[in-house]
Amino acid sequence: MENSINLQQEWQNMNAEFTANDTTPAIATYKLDNQSHSLIGSLLFKLKWKLRWIRIISLPMLIAAFFIKSDLQYLLLTFFVTYEVCRIFGLVELKKIKTAIDFDSNTKQVLEDNLNTIRRILRMENIFGYLFLPLSGPIGLIAYKLYVHQKFAIVFSLPNLTLQIVLCALIGFPFIYLAQKMNDSIFKEPIKDLSDKIEDLSE
């Protein structure tokens, strides 16, 4: 009888030890994820708003294209499609960001993957900005000329058009600097905080 009681007590002690060993990593993982979750959520919120602004800009182009019967319609549709393709690429990358708690994953690896994805989205936006901002002035000029003259053939035969296009392109370059500064003010500090969090987990 005494042996039975001792065996039962020993079994309970072993069970308590195994339970403690099993739950401790999960609790630690939850705490780490909880600390970083608000930071990831803030970055995700800002990135989603960037993609919403693409839609806010592109939709008026599509609506205007339905009411315009000149060659300007083709220009507007081209830009709508270009904006939407860029937005789709951004959404594909955005879906790779993990925000849910996963007890089976390595917290540090999840945060590193999220950071790389965020940087990739911002890099894609920078490339688009470097290409689009210098072209926005000339495209705006051509759009205005098309609104007045209706046809591409007439617009491209106008005198001094090349000089006007070059001048409009030069105006766009300072906006690259301004856009980069805006991105830094929005994302630089949160990205640094996330990088620091990853370094803390590496120690």
Side-chain angles (χ1 to χ4, degrees):
M1 183 68 175
E2 184 178 352
N3 289 337
S4 175
I5 293 174
N6 289 339
L7 287 172
Q8 184 176 2
Q9 184 64 41
E10 186 67 25
W11 174 256
Q12 289 175 350
N13 292 339
M14 289 176 61
N15 186 52
E17 184 179 349
F18 285 135
T19 302
N21 289 338
D22 286 344
T23 58
T24 300
I27 293 171
T29 303
Y30 175 80
K31 288 181 178 178
L32 289 170
D33 185 85
N34 190 45
Q35 291 170 358
S36 60
H37 188 271
S38 60
L39 188 58
I40 293 293
S42 175
L43 285 165
L44 196 59
F45 176 80
K46 293 171 182 178
L47 289 170
K48 284 181 178 178
W49 261 108
K50 275 186 169 289
L51 295 177
R52 287 191 186 105
W53 272 110
I54 294 177
R55 176 60 59 81
I56 290 170
I57 293 171
S58 65
L59 277 181
M61 295 182 186
L62 179 63
I63 294 170
F66 283 111
F67 296 97
I68 294 173
K69 300 304 179 184
S70 66
D71 286 356
L72 178 57
Q73 183 183 51
Y74 303 113
L75 184 66
L76 293 174
L77 288 174
T78 299
F79 264 85
F80 171 77
V81 171
T82 302
Y83 270 78
E84 286 300 306
V85 168
C86 293
R87 182 175 176 275
I88 289 169
F89 282 133
L91 285 172
V92 169
E93 292 297 323
L94 202 65
K95 289 180 179 179
K96 296 178 182 178
I97 297 177
K98 298 177 182 177
T99 57
I101 297 171
D102 183 0
F103 296 137
D104 296 325
S105 64
N106 182 296
T107 304
K108 176 175 173 287
Q109 186 61 50
V110 171
L111 294 182
E112 285 179 340
D113 291 343
N114 284 346
L115 180 60
N116 290 334
T117 300
I118 291 166
R119 284 175 169 163
R120 192 158 52 244
I121 293 171
L122 293 175
R123 188 162 54 247
M124 288 167 56
E125 187 202 24
N126 285 338
I127 292 171
F128 179 76
Y130 294 150
L131 294 174
F132 175 75
L133 288 174
L135 293 175
S136 58
I139 290 167
L141 174 68
I142 293 172
Y144 170 73
K145 299 287 187 183
L146 281 172
Y147 178 77
V148 174
H149 300 286
Q150 307 293 310
K151 298 291 184 182
F152 277 113
I154 298 175
V155 169
F156 287 114
S157 66
L158 294 173
N160 300 320
L161 181 66
T162 302
L163 178 61
Q164 292 173 2
I165 288 175
V166 171
L167 291 175
C168 288
L170 292 175
I171 294 172
F173 282 101
F175 286 98
I176 294 177
Y177 175 79
L178 291 176
Q180 188 63 55
K181 285 294 182 183
M182 289 176 63
N183 257 1
D184 287 345
S185 67
I186 297 172
F187 290 99
K188 189 174 182 179
E189 194 63 32
I191 286 177
K192 182 181 181 302
D193 291 341
L194 185 56
S195 299
D196 291 342
K197 174 67 66 179
I198 294 170
E199 288 182 10
D200 290 343
L201 294 175
S202 301
E203 294 175 356

